[in-house]
Amino acid sequence: ATGTDLQTFFYSLVEIHTTFTFKNLAVGTFGAVPFMWTVIVYYDFTVNGGQVAVDLFISQEVTDIGSFSTLWFFVFMDSVVLFFAIASSILSLRALISNYALSVKTKRRFRIQAAMPDLNSSQDRKMLKIGVLVNFYKSWGSVPLSIKIQFLNLWHFWSLIGSIFLISASILGSLNAYGHVPAIIFELFLGTGTF
């Protein structure tokens, strides 16, 4: 090849890409986890001004060690997170419904008391098995919003929202282990759910 042939070759270049594949053995709490990394570097020569644009693409997958597959371990751990997230969401939803039922019951007691103003004797209250709510407030409308909002426990509400994100994250984590979903989406849902 002569100098002019090389010069013509470099002038006609549009892009070059190089691919590197390597294995990485990450040691964690549960033992060694082997990863297969693929790194692709694209050099784009079509940028004006003689500059070369470089793009880097990285992908990884979990590989097997002998008869033990670490892929199944990740799917198992995602299943455990899924189980606990579903249990947490059911318990949180149950608590929210219970708190709502308690607020409805309290409103009903105020209405009963308003309809029967002569329930001032303790004997009448014992017969009807209701307590007096008017010691502090005359009606449900006179109860301040700061008291009414206590029927809605925000801890249960945020726990339910976090559990929904964790359920999504565990499903996306299993799909990520098989390479169907990018890791960043799984990590976003997992981070939001645990926050």
Side-chain angles (χ1 to χ4, degrees), residues 15-120:
E15 74 174 27
I16 295 176
H17 73 275
T18 56
T19 304
F20 304 98
T21 303
F22 62 93
K23 287 185 180 181
N24 177 28
L25 190 63
V27 179
T29 308
F30 299 104
V33 180
F35 288 96
M36 178 70 75
W37 295 84
T38 303
V39 179
I40 303 172
V41 182
Y42 285 99
Y43 301 97
D44 186 7
F45 294 101
T46 59
V47 178
N48 292 334
Q51 298 177 352
V52 177
V54 179
D55 291 321
L56 182 69
F57 299 97
I58 301 173
S59 65
Q60 95 270 355
E61 64 179 296
V62 179
T63 59
D64 296 337
I65 301 177
S67 62
F68 176 72
S69 171
T70 55
L71 179 67
W72 287 105
F73 176 74
F74 286 126
V75 171
F76 171 74
M77 292 305 288
D78 286 330
S79 300
V80 169
V81 170
L82 179 65
F83 172 75
F84 283 115
I86 288 174
S88 175
S89 64
I90 289 171
L91 292 173
S92 296
L93 188 61
R94 183 176 151 222
L96 285 171
I97 291 171
S98 175
N99 289 345
Y100 176 74
L102 182 62
S103 72
V104 169
K105 191 176 184 180
T106 305
K107 280 188 211 179
R108 190 176 326 127
R109 283 219 176 161
F110 270 115
R111 273 189 260 135
I112 289 172
Q113 256 178 230
M116 301 179 174
D118 56 345
L119 286 176
N120 292 330

